[in-house]
């Protein structure tokens, strides 16, 4: 190749002839000093080579091979700017675009070739300054040198800026941008320290791999996601201005020639430079064409510039992360060239250049440090850095890349321009190249001026980004300009945003009524106008500050929409930013989401927007409709991105899918939207819509079918699916959809029976009253009619309690219902109270509710003492409820007597309302206070919520600190007080309480230097017992406990703790431990510390069942006498060993079932069991623990003994054991029914269980009608009936029973009431199928088909049914709509409900109680501007009331 370069035998014939002449002339001059054509260089003492003779040099610079130099040139030229080329094709068309990329690449190859010719003609040239010295003397040297160093330093700064932007993107602005810039500067500085380009070439290889991988990821991402319409144009009509901007994007993609002199100077063989040049130009031209064409093909003519803007956030982050080496190395190469220029300028011709000394390296490092610091200062400290970078690029990059190459050729061939036709052609070509450089410089400079003007006069930044972006040398300038422009916009609006944020904070805090709020908005807008999306963002920030969902915020958005200050597109675009941030948090902390951190707010806002569209108020214009559709595309893409591969996030996303689907469904009925879908953005929706429908199909078949119908009407399918379109548009399917759409809805009625059913279902077993999903369900059901909601909820709570009394439910169940009424309900009412405005206060709602409760069940105190009437056993319930409401500031204390209708017999607690934080502090300093609080849980005074929250927090804290001594006391107290545990479950979920305890048991560590080991067993047993008492009480499964690790002790004990193992299955260590315990129990008859120290508690608990088996086998074989056996077992009744009997007694339960009735074996077993159940004597502590253990095992052990008694009725030793077990038998709090109750339902006249369901449905329906007319008592109802029938008959059979009853009610004109009752039955939650979605059982396996599932299947078959029974088909459709309409807004989120709601409710205590609220607390401090705004409206009475605080909420100090 060297020979070819010197003879001109290369594809560039014109240049080759010129090269041959110039090279031979050069060689002739060098061989003959008299004919030398190279004049002495000025300023360098005639030294021709910048690095001199390197034979004995310590540092050798001229070491690069051609391919290594080629990799450096590629790394310096190809950067993220390649991603701006697809937009070029979109601007001018694919054919001219590809031609220009290839043609300009060929031109860049020639200009680079000329630089190589100039370098060979003048070997001493090391940089542009040397070239300027050759042509123009000292002036040229200084001018060209200053231009080169200025340009390179600005490019270095742009890479620092891009590095900080990259980290902001990857970390979601996880730190200060300046800090990220410093990190980028340090990284680049370190990488620039090597003095030779050979070392940099290795980094260049990594850079090439990086940009290639990032490019592939972007192309694949765009190809998979297809964000655009996919339309490709061969040519595009465009203006000269837009066309020129597109061309300059291509021109600057090839700009890298400024460093070519430096690269060639470090070639081992400079004559091989063409190889490196052709490698560069071949690679970059091919990559540019492929990337531009592929991305343009799939992103369409709406492709963003850069193309990463057309990808999803996930792809954008991945590509950015992969491109980190490219961002760094491209900057390092420019920094190296800049530093090398100064270094050579200082030490040229001296031995410092090639010496490896601290002095030489220190100077080099100092130069590098100064350059990078200057670059960082320019990038971070100059507000208009990107404009300056654009200007510098326009002035110098075009000349360095194109214009100067023409000057170089003309200078080398001076006097030979017309010597031949070839010279004449090349002369003309280089003159044109010179003119191209000048034209680019002048036009891009003008564009910079235009962009600066646009930046200062308008909010339309699209042209600014194009104009300034096309002048940047790399993508770094373009993307940096976008970010900086947005930052500038934020700075411009920051002060206005503060005004609006302060206003919204004051309005929300003081609960300003809607008319006043609207007048205030108009006043503030006249003073501080702000674009709609920023107004919405200012409002949403109030939620972020409080980390809570204030329902009043939704009303504020509705008011802003009605005033026209914002539109639907503003709300959607601002809302998605907040929602996307929540998804990131949820993805990192899925198990710790707080009640206010889920999508409740987003769901409520989407529902409100749906109402706006449904009522025809939005969208008002075609432009707004287009913006709404584009925002919806972003929403749909967000759900798709976070749903793929992130199954856990479906907990957060399921509910918003349905809310968004309803919004899209209503938009589909808009005429304007329909036109747009058929025309403007049809292709974009065609790509995204089918996948969104598939997602909805997983949860809401009805809604998915509706959207599918819209899709088919609008023809929203990809072009590649044209062949399949006829199959999709099945006539029968369209007919079915048409039938479903044609069924009219009945008026929605809310009966008293529906909430009665809901609360019955939530409280019949383990409490399922999760605050957040229940709140969402009720708000969706009542459509923000908070007055009716509060009234009906109070009434239903009393109804459920009265029903339990009439049904003679167990006392512990009645106590749970009273605890709900007194302790849980007031806390929940505090959440709803914020939506009530005078005169519709909570006191008003309580008055209305108490007027509807059953007077026979809730008598006054006077009636209670009537000797002729003893039915008023719940008389205290009303009084307890009212005092609890007064405690929570829902009503004033003086109103209690009026509401009660009698003189109250109690008063508020002396300590007042508890505060969780205070209780935690008290217990921390005085652990005795913990047991006092546990006792107070059973006091019906209204403080149970704060106590429960404090206890859970204390348990978490003790587990974290491993304070097992205190924890044992807490767990022991809770294990012995089951009713207190029931109260805690009203405020939390088992997972929250038990997970830290289970983790502690799994990781229990016994210290090596432990003196006494008995306390270790004692503390371990206390924690263990609470976990298993709770598990038995609520019939919990593995997922409820929060244990999933395969090595978990708790998990092993659940599976194998009650199973014995053969000796062959034991490990040697277990064998030794078992022998030691047997000797300790039966030989030495002493449980010594040495014995305990050899076996960890977990190991002993797993051996207990085997210990019992081997001991009984030894007794059976005559090795042990029965007396010795019983005496040894009594040692296990010591307090520190008693909890281990949970598994041991469970082993007895299984063994007794399996026995064949042999007399001696049974006698020994029952005798041993008697020793464990009826010991001769026990201490008080042992007796308490013994009772807790028996409460866990009594029921199953009792069943086993009854089984033996039936087969051996003559035995006299079973009854005493049964009597002991019955004393400790605890009722489990689950939804299973008892055998007598099941027998009663099964014997119902007219059809057994089916008839029982029918009778209950009719009773509920009749009561739903009668309760609205008089004080009818609630019908006898237990939700256990529905659950047991579902298990026995199945969901489809039960659904048919319900539909039969709806049909009967239709005949009687009560279908609306029947539909409400049926919907309540289907929506009611239970442990197996929580219809009101919550995460308590979200990980639980689904055991059977639910009523909702059966209803959705029936809905899908409704059209077929309509041919034979149209009335039943219509009822099915109406019922399905009613159910899905109630459930579609309910959030399916991970809610940790220990909802001490004071933080969430924005200091509602002060608001509800009319107490003082300081202005500083309302708006976050004094704010004169908002006061000025309000002062301008002095004639507005409402504004004056708001300003002075003399409003209905009390004085404001």
């Amino acid at each position: 190749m060297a020979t070819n370069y010197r003879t001109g035998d290369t594809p560039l014939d014109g240049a080759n002839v010129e090269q041959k002449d110039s090279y031979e002339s050069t060689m002739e001059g060098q061989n003959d000093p008299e004919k030398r054509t190279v004049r002495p260089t000025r300023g360098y003492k005639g030294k021709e080579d910048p690095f001199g003779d390197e034979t004995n040099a310590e540092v050798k610079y001229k070491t690069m091979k051609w391919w290594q130099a080629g990799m450096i040139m590629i790394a310096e030229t190809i950067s993220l700017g390649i991603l701006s080329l697809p937009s070029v094709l979109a601007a001018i068309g694919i054919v001219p675009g590809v031609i220009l990329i290839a043609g300009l690449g060929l031109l860049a190859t020639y200009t680079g070739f000329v630089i190589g010719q100039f370098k060979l003609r003048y070997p001493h040239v090391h940089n542009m300054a040397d070239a300027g010295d050759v042509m123009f003397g000292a002036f040229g040297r200084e001018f060209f040198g200053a231009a080169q160093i200025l340009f390179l330093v600005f490019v270095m700064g742009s890479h620092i800026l891009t590095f900080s932007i990259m980290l902001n993107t990857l970390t979601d602005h996880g730190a200060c941008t300046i800090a990220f810039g410093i990190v980028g500067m340090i990284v680049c500085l370190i990488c620039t320290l090597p003095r030779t380009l050979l070392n940099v070439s290795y980094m260049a290889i990594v850079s090439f791999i990086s940009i290639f991988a990032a490019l592939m990821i972007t192309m694949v991402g765009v190809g998979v996601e297809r964000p655009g319409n996919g339309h490709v144009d061969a040519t595009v009509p465009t203006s000269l201005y837009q066309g020129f901007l597109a061309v300059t994007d291509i021109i600057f993609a090839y700009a890298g020639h400024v460093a070519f002199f430096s690269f060639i100077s470090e070639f081992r063989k400079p004559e091989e430079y063409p190889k490196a040049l052709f490698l560069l130009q071949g690679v970059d031209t091919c990559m540019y064409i492929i990337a531009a064409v592929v991305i343009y093909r799939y992103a369409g003519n709406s492709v963003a510039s850069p193309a990463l803007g057309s990808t999803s956030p996930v792809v954008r982050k991945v590509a950015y992360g992969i491109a980190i080496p490219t961002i760094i190395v491209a900057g390092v190469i420019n920094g190296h060239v800049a530093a090398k220029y100064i270094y050579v300028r200082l030490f040229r011709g001296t031995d410092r250049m090639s010496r490896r000394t601290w002095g030489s390296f220190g100077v080099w490092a100092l130069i590098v440090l100064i350059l990078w610091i200057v670059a960082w200062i320019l990038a971070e400290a100059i507000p208009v850095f990107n404009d300056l970078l654009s200007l510098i690029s326009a002035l110098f990059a075009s000349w360095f890349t194109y214009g100067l190459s023409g000057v170089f050729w003309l200078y080398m061939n001076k006097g030979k321009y017309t010597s031949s036709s070839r010279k004449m052609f090349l002369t003309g070509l280089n003159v044109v190249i010179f003119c191209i450089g000048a034209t680019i410089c002048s036009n891009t400079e003008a564009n910079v001026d235009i962009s600066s003007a646009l930046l200062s006069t308008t909010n339309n930044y699209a042209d600014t980004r194009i104009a300034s972006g096309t002048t940047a040398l790399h993508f770094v300038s373009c993307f940096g300009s976008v970010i900086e422009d947005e930052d500038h916009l934020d700075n411009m609006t920051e002060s206005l945003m503060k005004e609006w944020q302060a206003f919204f904070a004051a309005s929300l805090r003081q609960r300003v009524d809607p008319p006043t709020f609207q007048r205030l908005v108009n006043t503030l807008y006249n003073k501080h106008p702000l674009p709609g999306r920023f107004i919405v963002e200012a409002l949403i920030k109030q939620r972020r500050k409080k980390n809570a969902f204030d329902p009043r915020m939704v009303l504020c958005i509705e008011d802003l929409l009605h005033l026209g200050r914002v539109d639907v597109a503003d709300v959607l675009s601002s809302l998605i930013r907040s929602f996307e941030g929540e998804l990131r948090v949820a993805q990192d902390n899925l198990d710790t989401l707080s009640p206010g951190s889920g999508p409740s707010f987003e769901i409520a806002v989407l529902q409100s927007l749906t109402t706006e569209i449904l009522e025809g108020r939005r969208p008002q214009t075609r432009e707004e409709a287009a913006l709404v559709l584009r925002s919806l595309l972003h929403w749909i893409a967000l759900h798709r991105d976070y749903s793929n591969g992130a199954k856990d996030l479906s907990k957060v996303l399921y509910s918003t899918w349905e809310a968004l689907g309803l919004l899209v469904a209503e938009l589909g009925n808009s005429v304007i939207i329909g036109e747009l879908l058929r025309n403007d953005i049809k292709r974009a929706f065609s790509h995204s819509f089918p996948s969104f429908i598939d997602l909805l199909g997983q949860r809401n078949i009805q809604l998915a079918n509706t959207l599918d119908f819209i899709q088919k009407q609008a023809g929203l399918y990809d072009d590649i699916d044209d062949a399949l379109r006829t199959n999709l548009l099945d006539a029968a399917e369209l007919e079915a959809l048409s039938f479903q759409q044609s069924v009219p809805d009945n008026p929605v009625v809310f009966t008293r029976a529906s909430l009665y059913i809901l609360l019955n279902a939530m409280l019949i077993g383990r409490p399922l009253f999760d605050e957040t999903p229940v709140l969402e369900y009720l708000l969706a059901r009542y459509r923000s009619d908070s007055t009716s909601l509060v009234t009906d909820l109070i009434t239903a709570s009393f109804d459920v309690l009265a029903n339990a009394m009439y049904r003679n439910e167990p006392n512990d169940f009645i106590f749970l219902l009273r605890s709900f009424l007194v302790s849980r309900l007031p806390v929940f009412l505090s959440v709803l109270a914020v939506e009530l405005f005078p005169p519709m206060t909570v006191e008003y709602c309580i008055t209305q509710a108490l007027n509807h409760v059953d007077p026979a069940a809730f008598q006054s105190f006077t009636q209670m003492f009537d000797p002729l009437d003893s039915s008023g056993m719940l008389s205290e319930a009303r009084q307890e409820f009212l005092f609890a409401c007064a405690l929570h500031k829902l009503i004033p204390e003086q109103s209690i007597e009026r509401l009660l209708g009698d003189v109250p017999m109690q008063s508020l607690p002396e300590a007042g309302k508890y505060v969780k934080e205070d209780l935690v502090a008290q217990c921390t300093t005085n652990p005795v206070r913990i047991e006092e609080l546990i006792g107070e849980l059973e006091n019906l005074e209204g403080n149970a919520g704060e106590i429960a929250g404090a206890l859970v927090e204390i348990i978490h804290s003790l587990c974290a600190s491993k304070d097992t001594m205190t924890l044992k006391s807490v767990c022991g107290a809770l294990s012995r007080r089951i009713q207190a545990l029931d109260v805690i479950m009203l405020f939390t979920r088992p997972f929250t309480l038990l997970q830290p305890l289970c983790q502690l048991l799994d990781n229990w560590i016994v210290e090596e230097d432990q003196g006494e080991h008995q306390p270790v067993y004692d503390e371990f047993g206390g924690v263990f017992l609470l976990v298993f008492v709770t598990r038995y009480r609520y019939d919990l499964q593995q997922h409820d406990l929060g244990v999933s690790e395969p090595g978990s002790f708790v998990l092993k004990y659940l599976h194998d703790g009650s199973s014995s193992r053969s000796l062959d299955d034991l490990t040697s260590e277990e064998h030794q431990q078992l022998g030691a315990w047997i000797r300790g129990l039966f030989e030495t008859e002493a449980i010594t510390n040495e014995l305990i120290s050899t076996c960890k508690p977990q190991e002993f608990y797993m051996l207990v069942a085997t210990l019992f088996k081997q001991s009984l086998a030894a007794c059976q074989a005559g090795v042990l006498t029965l007396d010795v056996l019983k005496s040894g077992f009594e040692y296990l009744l010591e307090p520190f060993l008693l909890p281990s009997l949970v598994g041991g007694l469970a082993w007895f339960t299984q063994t007794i079932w399996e026995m064949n009735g042999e007399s001696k074996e049974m006698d020994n077993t029952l005798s041993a069991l008697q020793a464990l159940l009826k010991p001769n004597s026990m201490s008080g502590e042992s007796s308490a623990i013994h009772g807790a253990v028996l409460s866990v095992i009594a029921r199953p052990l009792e069943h086993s003994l009854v089984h033996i008694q039936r087969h051996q009725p003559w035995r006299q030793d079973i009854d005493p054991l049964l009597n002991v077990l019955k004393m400790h038998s605890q009722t489990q709090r689950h939804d299973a029914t008892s055998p007598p109750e099941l027998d009663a339902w099964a014997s119902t006249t007219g059809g057994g269980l089916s008839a029982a369901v029918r009778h209950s449905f009719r009773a509920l329906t009749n009561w739903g009608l009668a309760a609205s007319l008089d004080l009818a008592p609630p019908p006898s109802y237990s939700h256990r009936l529905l659950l047991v029938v579902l298990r026995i008959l199945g969901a489809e059979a039960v659904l048919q029973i319900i539909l039969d009853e709806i049909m009967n009610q239709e005949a009687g004109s009560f279908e609306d009431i029947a539909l409400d009752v049926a919907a309540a039955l289907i929506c009611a939650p239970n442990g197996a199928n929580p219809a009101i979605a919550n995460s308590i059982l979200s990980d639980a396996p689904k055991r059977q088909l639910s009523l909702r599932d059966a209803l959705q299947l029936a809905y899908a078959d409704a059209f077929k049914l309509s041919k034979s029974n149209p009335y039943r088909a219509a009822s099915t459709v109406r019922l399905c709509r009613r159910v899905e309409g109630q459930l579609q807004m309910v959030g399916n989120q991970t809610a940790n409900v220990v909802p001490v709601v004071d933080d969430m409710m924005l200091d509602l205590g002060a608001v509800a109680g009319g107490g003082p609220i300081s202005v500083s607390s309302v708006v976050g401090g004094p704010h004169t501007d908002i006061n000025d705004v309000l002062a301008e409206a002095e004639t507005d009475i409402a504004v004056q009331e708001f300003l002075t605080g003399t409003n209905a909420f009390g004085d404001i100090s």
Side-chain angles (χ1 to χ4, degrees), residues 733-1041:
E733 185 179 354
L734 284 175
E735 192 175 2
L737 290 171
S738 299
F739 166 74
Q740 294 166 356
Q741 297 289 332
S742 66
V743 175
D745 275 330
N746 288 3
V748 177
V749 296
F750 299 137
T751 66
R752 186 170 171 180
S754 58
L755 279 187
Y756 175 67
I757 295 170
L758 177 68
L759 290 183
N760 201 306
M762 287 180 175
L763 301 174
I764 195 66
R766 169 164 62 88
L768 296 174
F769 195 85
D770 272 10
E771 183 168 284
T772 301
V774 172
L775 176 63
E776 293 173 355
Y777 171 78
L778 294 177
L779 288 176
R781 171 181 168 83
Y782 280 85
R783 300 179 185 274
S784 301
D785 182 3
S786 301
T787 303
S788 299
L789 170 56
V790 173
T791 303
D792 292 352
L793 188 60
I794 297 171
T795 305
S797 300
F798 279 97
D799 288 340
V800 171
L801 184 55
N803 174 61
M805 183 197 70
Y806 290 140
R807 289 179 52 83
N808 293 318
E809 295 283 0
N811 289 336
D812 64 339
F813 180 54
I814 292 180
F815 172 79
L816 177 69
L817 296 179
R818 289 182 68 179
S819 297
F820 174 81
L821 177 68
V822 176
S823 301
R824 190 68 184 88
L825 183 60
V827 176
F828 191 68
L829 294 180
S830 299
V831 179
L832 297 171
V834 298
E835 287 300 309
L836 298 177
F837 300 98
M840 302 303 179
T841 61
V842 175
E843 183 176 349
Y844 170 81
C845 296
I846 292 176
T847 303
Q848 297 299 311
L850 292 181
N851 289 335
H852 290 85
V853 301
D854 183 9
F858 304 97
Q859 298 178 354
S860 66
F861 292 111
T862 304
Q863 295 171 319
M864 183 177 64
F865 292 112
D866 186 351
L868 300 179
D869 188 355
S870 60
S871 62
M873 63 175 296
L874 298 180
S875 299
E876 293 183 0
R878 290 193 308 159
Q879 177 179 250
E880 293 164 347
F881 170 70
L882 292 175
F883 273 99
C885 290
L887 184 69
H888 286 272
K889 307 293 185 183
L890 296 174
I891 61 174
E893 185 178 3
Q894 55 268 27
S895 300
I896 295 179
E897 183 174 350
R898 179 186 63 80
L899 293 170
L900 198 59
D902 208 338
V903 178
M905 303 292 289
Q906 70 179 68
S907 60
L908 291 175
E910 292 183 5
K913 185 178 181 297
Y914 284 166
V915 178
K916 183 186 74 173
E917 289 73 16
D918 295 342
L919 297 179
V920 173
Q922 294 171 17
C923 295
T924 302
T925 57
N926 181 20
V928 178
R929 177 65 171 146
I930 299 177
E931 293 200 36
E932 296 176 359
L933 290 177
I934 293 175
E936 292 183 29
L937 277 172
E938 300 179 30
N939 297 341
L940 299 175
E941 295 180 341
N943 274 322
E946 299 294 330
I947 297 175
L951 289 175
V952 171
E953 184 171 325
I954 290 168
I955 289 175
H956 280 236
S957 176
L958 294 175
C959 290
S961 63
K962 293 185 171 50
D963 183 0
T964 53
M965 182 179 296
T966 307
L967 187 62
K968 177 240 176 183
S969 301
V970 178
C971 294
L974 287 175
S975 301
R976 296 188 295 270
R977 310 193 71 150
I978 300 299
Q979 285 191 340
L981 202 57
D982 289 342
V983 176
I984 292 177
M985 287 300 119
L986 287 172
F987 295 90
T988 190
R989 53 185 176 135
F991 179 92
T992 304
L993 176 67
L994 299 181
Q995 186 189 36
L997 297 174
C998 292
Q999 290 178 347
L1000 184 64
L1001 293 174
D1002 290 342
N1003 303 305
W1004 195 280
I1005 299 175
V1006 179
E1007 300 293 340
E1008 295 291 339
D1009 57 351
Q1010 181 79 32
E1012 285 287 333
H1013 285 76
Q1014 180 173 321
V1016 175
Y1017 271 65
D1018 202 12
E1019 294 159 4
F1020 181 90
V1023 177
F1024 172 89
L1025 191 56
L1026 176 60
V1027 171
F1028 279 83
V1029 165
T1030 308
R1031 175 185 176 273
Y1032 172 77
R1033 175 70 169 173
Y1034 306 111
D1035 192 25
L1036 304 179
Q1037 304 302 314
Q1038 173 184 332
H1039 55 269
D1040 298 309
L1041 302 178

Side-chain angles (χ1 to χ4, degrees), residues 985-1262:
M985 287 300 119
L986 287 172
F987 295 90
T988 190
R989 53 185 176 135
F991 179 92
T992 304
L993 176 67
L994 299 181
Q995 186 189 36
L997 297 174
C998 292
Q999 290 178 347
L1000 184 64
L1001 293 174
D1002 290 342
N1003 303 305
W1004 195 280
I1005 299 175
V1006 179
E1007 300 293 340
E1008 295 291 339
D1009 57 351
Q1010 181 79 32
E1012 285 287 333
H1013 285 76
Q1014 180 173 321
V1016 175
Y1017 271 65
D1018 202 12
E1019 294 159 4
F1020 181 90
V1023 177
F1024 172 89
L1025 191 56
L1026 176 60
V1027 171
F1028 279 83
V1029 165
T1030 308
R1031 175 185 176 273
Y1032 172 77
R1033 175 70 169 173
Y1034 306 111
D1035 192 25
L1036 304 179
Q1037 304 302 314
Q1038 173 184 332
H1039 55 269
D1040 298 309
L1041 302 178
V1043 292
S1044 58
E1045 296 295 331
S1048 166
F1049 159 73
V1050 176
L1051 191 57
K1052 290 179 181 178
Y1053 199 84
L1054 286 174
H1055 293 163
D1056 304 321
S1058 60
S1059 301
S1060 61
R1061 292 178 287 169
S1062 66
L1063 297 179
D1064 294 336
D1065 294 335
L1066 299 179
T1067 66
S1068 59
E1069 183 180 3
E1070 290 173 332
H1071 203 285
Q1072 293 175 0
Q1073 292 169 347
L1074 179 62
W1077 278 101
I1078 290 176
R1079 288 191 296 272
L1081 291 173
F1082 305 115
E1083 293 182 8
T1084 63
E1085 296 187 355
I1087 308 300
T1088 64
N1089 186 65
E1090 182 180 359
L1091 171 60
I1092 300 175
S1093 65
T1094 61
C1095 186
K1096 297 178 181 179
Q1098 300 98 317
E1099 297 170 343
F1100 173 69
Y1101 277 55
M1102 296 301 298
L1103 286 175
V1104 170
T1106 305
L1107 174 64
F1108 282 167
K1109 177 183 178 181
Q1110 295 300 323
S1111 301
L1112 283 171
C1115 183
Q1116 185 72 15
V1119 177
L1120 293 176
T1121 65
L1122 184 60
D1123 289 339
V1124 171
L1125 179 71
K1126 295 169 64 176
S1127 176
F1129 278 178
E1130 287 182 355
Y1131 280 106
L1132 297 176
L1133 299 178
E1134 293 293 330
F1136 68 97
L1137 294 178
L1138 257 172
S1140 66
L1141 292 184
V1142 170
L1145 293 176
W1147 176 84
F1148 273 102
T1149 301
Q1150 298 174 4
T1151 301
I1152 292 173
W1153 273 99
E1154 296 168 357
M1155 282 188 176
N1156 296 323
E1158 291 125 355
S1159 178
K1160 185 178 180 181
E1161 182 182 9
M1162 182 61 69
D1163 289 345
N1164 291 339
T1165 301
L1166 293 180
S1167 296
L1169 187 60
Q1170 183 178 19
L1172 296 172
L1173 297 183
K1174 291 187 62 179
N1176 295 326
S1177 63
M1178 281 194 301
S1179 65
E1181 181 184 4
S1182 295
S1183 180
I1185 300 175
H1186 188 256
V1189 171
L1190 292 186
S1191 71
V1192 176
I1193 203 64
R1195 282 292 179 89
L1197 186 55
E1198 181 182 352
H1199 294 161
S1200 296
L1201 292 174
V1202 170
H1203 170 74
I1204 294 298
Q1205 193 175 48
R1206 288 175 180 172
H1207 288 80
Q1208 301 179 23
W1210 61 86
R1211 298 196 67 96
Q1212 301 296 316
D1213 52 357
I1214 294 181
D1215 281 335
L1217 299 179
L1218 290 176
N1219 292 334
V1220 173
L1221 294 176
K1222 288 178 181 178
M1223 291 173 55
H1224 297 90
S1225 180
Q1226 290 284 350
T1227 303
Q1228 283 186 283
R1229 301 248 14 98
H1230 57 73
D1231 49 25
T1233 187
S1234 63
E1237 197 172 42
L1238 180 59
D1239 291 340
W1241 288 331
S1243 59
T1244 303
T1245 305
L1249 293 176
S1250 299
V1253 174
R1254 285 192 171 91
H1255 292 167
S1256 292
F1257 190 93
R1258 292 172 187 172
L1260 291 168
T1261 304
N1262 293 333

